[in-house]
Structure formats: C-alpha cells, structure tokens
Amino acid sequence: MKKTSCALFNIVALSLIPAVAGAAGTYYNGLGYQKNTSSYYDNYSNSRGGNYASMYKNGYQQKTTTSRKVVKKTTKKTSENASAKSGLVLGGALSHEFGSWDFEMRTAGSKLAYDKLSWNVIGGEGAYYFGDSTPMQIKFGARYGKQFGETSMIDDDITKGGYLNMEWTDENGNVIANQTGHALSVGSSKGGTQMGFNAAFGLTDFFKWGKVKITPSVGFRYLKYELSTKQNYGLSIDILESSSSYPYITCINGYNGELQCDPFLLFYSSNGAVTITGRVEEDTDGDGQNEVSEMIQIPSIAGFNVSGVGTGGTYYYEQSGTSHKYETTWMGPYVAFDAEYEINKDNFVYGGVEIGLPLYRSEGDQPYRYDWQHPKSVEDKGSFGDAYHIGLNANWSTNITDTTAFTLGVTYDYYTVSKATAKTYMNSAHYTELYDDYTDALENNVLTEYQRAILEDEVAKIEEYKAANWVLEDKDEIKSIYKAMGIRAGINVKF
C-alpha cells in the first residue's frame, strides 16, 4: 500500500509540472488555463527556446488541461480508497490490571472487600469493516485473566452496625436489650480467575470533527470473575444494646465520645432461670454522685444460684481452609463511541467511552457456616436497570509494516449495582435437628415461662424457614462495586 501511494504521488507530481510552470499570469476560461498577456507569453516562450511556444500553438494547452483533469480525478479517488476502512483486522494484547471488588448488605450490617486485586490478562480482538459502499463494522473480543500475587480480603461485620442475634424481653414481653454480633476477619486471596467477551455493531466514522472520526456502536458485554479466600483469621464479639427500661448499662461513653461496650454475658441458675447483666450506675466512691461501675455486676437475685456463664458469639477463630468463595457475573447491552485521530500516516490515537446496563449475579459459598447450605450459600441478583457499567480506553497505534501495527494503551472499568436482591440458603438438616430438640424440650421439660417463650420463638423462626423452602430473601439488600484500571500492549494485523 505504501509503495502504491508513493508511485501515485510521483505520477501526480510529474504530470503537474507543466501546469505549475504555466500558472503564473494566467486565468481560467472554463476550458483551460489561458495566458494573460502576450508580452509574458513571448518572454516565456523565448526563455524556453521556442519549443514550448510551438507546442502551445499546436494545441498542447488543451491536451495538458485534459490530462490535468484526469490526474485530479485519479488522485482524489486514490486518496479516498487509501483512507477507507475495509476488510478484517485481528489483534492480541497483554494487560496488567489493578482492581477491587466489594459489596455490602444494608440490613444485615455486613461488608466484604477484596482490595488491591491484580490481574494478568490475555485478550484477543477483531473487527470486520464492510468498506466504502457500506460504512459499517462488526467488532468482537475475548479475554482471560489470572489473579497475580496475593491480596487480602476483609469481612467486616462491625462498621455497618453488626447483626441481630437475639431480642431479650422481660416477663411482660417488653424488649429490654438486643444481643448483636460484631465480627471482623482478614484472609488471603490468590488464584482467582476472570473471563469475558463482547461483540458490537457500529457505523464506521459516522461523525467527523476535523481530523477526528467518531464511530457509534451498540453491543453486548460479559464479564465473570471468581475469587476465594483461605487462611482467614477473625474475632467475634456479642454485645448487649440495652434499652432505657433495662437497669444494666452494657455500652458506655468513654473519653471524647468514645463508645465502649461490654461483651455479652448470660448467667444460668441451678433452677433453670437465666439472666443477662452489665455495668450499673452507683456511687462507688461515696461522694454522693453516681458513677458507672468499672466492674460487670453479677446478679444478686434472691434464690438465683449461678451454675454457669455464657458469652454468646464472643470468640477468636482461625479458618485455614477456604472460608469464602464467590463467582460474580456482569453481562448486558451497551452503547459506545470510539474516536480516531490521525497524527500522520503511520501513527494514530484512539479513545472510547462505553456505557452499559448489565445484569448482576453473584453466588457465594462459606464452607465454615454450618447453618448455611453448600456449595451455594448465598445468591445476589440485580434486575435490568439496577446496575450500570462505564468503560474508558485510550490507545496509541503505530504502523510497523503496511499490515501490522503496535498498540499501547490504558483502560478503566467501573461496575456498580444497588438494591440487588439477596438470597440465603439455610441448612435444613441443621435447623431440623434444632427444631426436634426445641419441641422435645417444650413437651418434656419443666420450664419457666420465660424459657418457654424463648424456645417457642425459636421454633416459630424455624417453621418460617421451612415454609420458605429454606431460602431467605431480602430485596434491595446488596450494593456491589467492581472497578479496574489496566495497562495494555498489543499487535494488530490487517488482512
């Protein structure tokens, strides 16, 4: 292609030499260029030794004009063909991406994050241009990536408020305190994978703005990644958030507004009674002013003989195996605008923006949760319109040969969904066993009214799980964000 262009350029330049030489002092009369004055013509013809004058008088002018018109048409047509996009272009690229994925549960008070993800990605792409008569194109691409190195995962059930374990009531059914759980764990993530593909139909160079050509397109994009966690270490603590009607204080205000909460304590009596406790306000130094006691008060109820103490969900834990595993998919339609700017015949700059409306789905497994099913413990789904994707890219391309180009660029992707529906799959075997134990205790044991009320509440909750086919659903529960920035280098080949 380059040799052909150079040859055409030489032909055009040579054919234009007579026209350029006779351009000064002439005017156009509709048929060709005529000399303006006889004196100029005579002087010019003498300088050429008379040969040009005789050729001019014998009609060379008309032939020259005709020849120039033909050359002009040929030049224009050749230029159009040179700039037209047609045929097949295939390419491959390697990229390194930095990203993160996190999601949070609104009412459950939990947040999970994979920060500082790194990916090595290999990708293939192609485009077929229909040519001048049909200025349209089809683009397609595929990618596969492996997680690079190791990063941390944080499972945070603290900063969003924790989760409700139990409502404690008095003999009259009044809620006196909420037993809430708070946990934080940090694990290691490595060996993750990702894959994706996309296809789009566009109108080639549909808009033009100076030297910038813009191609609009519509397409479909699919992205799936799998992440897992091992060597997870954590702390869990249950606390009592007391109400005004409860005499004990379980959370106090420390210095400069700091909130301090005691761990949950449950005292058992030898006669089957239970009570929960905390700190109390009392005059501990005899100055007539009540202070918050530094000691957690043990019940001194008449006839209450302590036979045991429970701490609820307060413990330290280590999970050496796989503690979390997620498979997440974003897929759906998009519109895109791609711009091309020609620096010179061998160097181009490209930029693009993509806006999509993907469907979101994430399936998770937490093998250490004995109260959940496996291998699918949770499932989150977003409907059409709940999520969106913004993709940006910028590339520089330089021709190595007539058919081969080297590309270097950057990419950025941002996926987010809000108000996705969360499903939790409960372990029916575990809860059926609890149900049998609770009903047996209600039928055969001598219980206080308070103990019976607690067990009846637990039985009713399990019956609700069973009626829902052991699947709990919370709408508008999940907010999830995945983002990544990459640096890529590749080769494109024209066919």
Side-chain angles (χ1 to χ4, degrees), residues 122-147:
I122 182 171
E125 56 189 14
Y128 181 78
Y129 301 95
F130 291 88
D132 271 346
S133 59
T134 309
M136 299 176 184
Q137 65 184 49
I138 295 175
K139 283 192 173 183
F140 47 90
R143 57 188 281 138
Y144 177 81
K146 290 281 292 183
Q147 189 176 352

Side-chain angles (χ1 to χ4, degrees), residues 125-384:
E125 56 189 14
Y128 181 78
Y129 301 95
F130 291 88
D132 271 346
S133 59
T134 309
M136 299 176 184
Q137 65 184 49
I138 295 175
K139 283 192 173 183
F140 47 90
R143 57 188 281 138
Y144 177 81
K146 290 281 292 183
Q147 189 176 352
F148 176 75
E150 183 176 305
T151 188
S152 61
M153 179 226 68
I154 299 176
D155 191 349
D156 178 359
D157 295 330
I158 293 180
T159 58
K160 292 297 179 180
Y163 43 91
L164 179 64
N165 272 336
M166 178 78 72
E167 285 185 343
W168 291 90
T169 60
D170 58 17
E171 292 79 359
N172 299 320
N174 299 315
V175 177
I176 57 176
N178 291 323
Q179 179 185 340
T180 60
H182 303 263
L184 181 69
S185 67
V186 180
S188 299
S189 174
K190 62 180 180 179
T193 61
Q194 64 160 276
M195 62 87 64
F197 66 85
N198 69 289
F201 172 81
L203 302 176
T204 308
D205 300 339
F206 188 76
F207 302 107
K208 294 182 177 64
W209 180 34
K211 296 179 67 175
V212 179
K213 301 174 183 178
I214 300 175
T215 298
S217 60
V218 294
F220 180 89
R221 183 173 296 279
Y222 175 94
L223 174 66
K224 181 177 76 173
Y225 49 85
E226 296 182 4
L227 295 168
S228 61
T229 305
K230 292 183 178 181
Q231 301 297 328
N232 192 43
Y233 302 89
L235 290 169
S236 174
I237 181 171
D238 276 8
I239 66 172
L240 288 172
E241 298 178 4
S242 56
S243 67
S244 58
S245 62
Y246 189 57
Y248 294 111
I249 298 172
T250 57
C251 293
I252 62 175
N253 291 320
Y255 175 73
N256 202 25
E258 176 189 10
L259 183 67
Q260 297 179 355
C261 296
D262 294 322
F264 169 79
L265 292 175
L266 175 66
F267 292 89
Y268 299 92
S269 173
S270 56
N271 63 4
V274 296
T275 185
I276 54 177
T277 187
R279 305 186 193 194
V280 295
E281 283 186 311
E282 59 183 3
D283 185 6
T284 57
D285 55 9
D287 62 355
Q289 300 291 328
N290 285 342
E291 296 88 20
V292 176
S293 173
E294 295 183 357
M295 302 295 293
I296 296 176
Q297 302 298 304
I298 297 176
S300 56
I301 303 173
F304 190 93
N305 299 315
V306 177
S307 61
V309 179
T311 61
T314 300
Y315 54 90
Y316 162 79
Y317 57 95
E318 298 179 5
Q319 299 167 333
S320 59
T322 299
S323 59
H324 302 71
K325 185 177 181 180
Y326 293 94
E327 179 181 288
T328 305
T329 303
W330 307 81
M331 63 175 178
Y334 67 84
V335 295
F337 293 90
D338 297 296
E340 172 191 303
Y341 178 80
E342 181 179 352
I343 301 173
N344 54 45
K345 62 185 180 64
D346 288 328
N347 292 275
F348 299 83
V349 175
Y350 300 92
V353 58
E354 177 183 315
I355 301 175
L357 294 175
L359 295 173
Y360 171 81
R361 180 177 180 178
S362 183
E363 293 185 2
D365 183 21
Q366 295 190 20
Y368 287 96
R369 288 293 300 262
Y370 56 83
D371 54 334
W372 289 355
Q373 292 183 27
H374 308 290
K376 183 164 71 172
S377 303
V378 294
E379 181 182 42
D380 307 325
K381 283 185 178 181
S383 302
F384 186 76

Side-chain angles (χ1 to χ4, degrees), residues 330 360 382-383 386-388 415-420 478-481:
W330 307 81
Y360 171 81
S383 302
D386 290 340
Y388 67 86
Y415 293 84
T416 183
V417 65
S418 59
K419 299 182 178 180
I478 301 295
K479 179 181 178 182
S480 178
I481 297 175

